[in-house]
Amino acid sequence: MKKSVLLFFIILFSLNMNAQNNESQTLNAQQQSIVNIAALTAVGNLSSLKTQLHAGLDGGLTVNEIKEILVQMYAYCGFPRCLNGINTFMSVIDERKAKGIVDVEGKEASPIVDTQSKYETGKQTLQQLTGIEEKGPKMGANAFAPIIDTFLKEHLFADIFSRDVLSYQQRELATISVLSALEGVAPQLQFHLGVGLNIGITKGQLMQLFSIIQAQIGEKQAEVAKNELEKIKK
């Protein structure tokens, strides 16, 4: 009898672990909405974006989470596309209010209480994202134009990534989606795919992300993204 009970719990544990592993290979509804919203904002497809903004709210994203996704877009696809996305979201909110739909506003960003310089904050955040300690002299574009290193660390990885409305995983999903949707940014995409894998986004989830890119943007961009993932040794 005891052996039967033990066997039952072993099987139950195994099924639970398999379920968890399978779940980690898929994007949930909110994550899929992040991918859709970011990619469509990047390419300026506002009619489809409007549909996906409704879907995001219906699927559980808060108003402030979507605002945060759209604001982050300017760092990767520029202010014009970012502002178009925000204006589209405003129209969606107005439509829903007119229909009596009350959407959850969600949390606001917590006050920043860090006492160290924004550059150091951004440097530490970037090291956490990549899992690589920054040592030695600057290299590449950061050495050629040092001010871009300052802007990246102080503004993108300090000002933006310190805002806790979104998690690092959510922010990287949005970033990978933008870079997968845009042409000519394969090196930056490969970097962020590596970051995503380092902070717990799985290859299965990335493959699902690429499927969304194929459906929303096109097969060409999805193939570019898949090729960049294959180059990463993880």
Side-chain angles (χ1 to χ4, degrees):
M1 186 70 177
K2 290 183 179 179
K3 287 183 179 180
S4 299
V5 173
L6 179 60
L7 181 60
F8 170 78
F9 280 109
I10 290 173
I11 293 172
L12 187 63
F13 176 78
S14 178
L15 290 172
N16 184 55
M17 289 300 294
N18 287 335
Q20 289 180 1
N21 289 334
N22 289 334
E23 184 179 358
S24 70
Q25 298 300 315
T26 60
L27 299 170
N28 62 33
Q30 289 87 356
Q31 290 170 326
Q32 291 179 51
S33 288
I34 290 171
V35 174
N36 278 303
I37 290 168
L40 292 167
T41 301
V43 298
N45 186 343
L46 301 184
S47 59
S48 293
L49 174 61
K50 191 172 184 179
T51 299
Q52 293 302 325
L53 289 168
H54 279 290
L57 290 169
D58 292 337
L61 286 176
T62 68
V63 172
N64 286 335
E65 284 172 336
I66 293 178
K67 284 181 184 177
E68 201 73 20
I69 295 163
L70 295 170
V71 168
Q72 182 177 317
M73 293 300 94
Y74 92 83
Y76 295 99
C77 60
F79 273 111
R81 292 287 165 87
C82 164
L83 291 170
N84 285 344
I86 290 172
N87 286 329
T88 301
F89 190 39
M90 289 170 60
S91 71
V92 167
I93 293 296
D94 288 342
E95 285 180 15
R96 293 170 72 88
K97 285 181 178 178
K99 293 178 180 178
I101 300 172
V102 179
D103 292 303
V104 178
E105 282 294 317
K107 66 176 290 186
E108 300 277 353
S110 302
I112 305 298
V113 295
D114 203 339
T115 56
Q116 65 183 350
S117 71
K118 287 201 293 185
Y119 185 89
E120 285 302 315
T121 297
K123 180 179 177 180
Q124 289 178 11
T125 298
L126 186 56
Q127 289 178 156
Q128 182 179 347
L129 290 169
T130 62
I132 301 171
E133 184 179 359
E134 185 177 319
K135 297 179 180 178
K138 294 179 178 62
M139 300 176 65
N142 289 345
F144 183 71
I147 192 61
I148 197 63
D149 176 64
T150 301
F151 288 162
L152 282 168
K153 288 189 172 72
E154 290 189 357
H155 188 44
L156 178 55
F157 292 110
D159 286 340
I160 295 179
F161 269 69
S162 293
R163 293 173 58 82
D164 59 357
V165 178
L166 298 175
S167 68
Y168 286 171
Q169 275 199 12
Q170 288 173 313
R171 290 193 181 280
E172 281 303 315
L173 280 174
T175 300
I176 292 168
S177 302
V178 171
L179 297 176
S180 296
L182 296 175
E183 295 183 13
V185 292
Q188 291 77 24
L189 172 59
Q190 185 180 134
F191 173 82
H192 281 282
L193 287 169
V195 168
L197 291 170
N198 184 61
I199 62 172
I201 299 172
T202 67
K203 286 190 175 181
Q205 289 173 322
L206 291 174
M207 291 304 294
Q208 188 178 358
L209 185 156
F210 301 153
S211 294
I212 295 172
I213 294 298
Q214 181 170 337
Q216 296 286 11
I217 310 301
E219 185 175 354
K220 177 184 174 182
Q221 286 307 113
E223 286 302 315
V224 169
K226 291 175 186 176
N227 289 337
E228 292 307 312
L229 179 61
E230 289 174 1
K231 296 176 184 178
I232 299 173
K233 307 297 183 183
K234 275 192 178 288

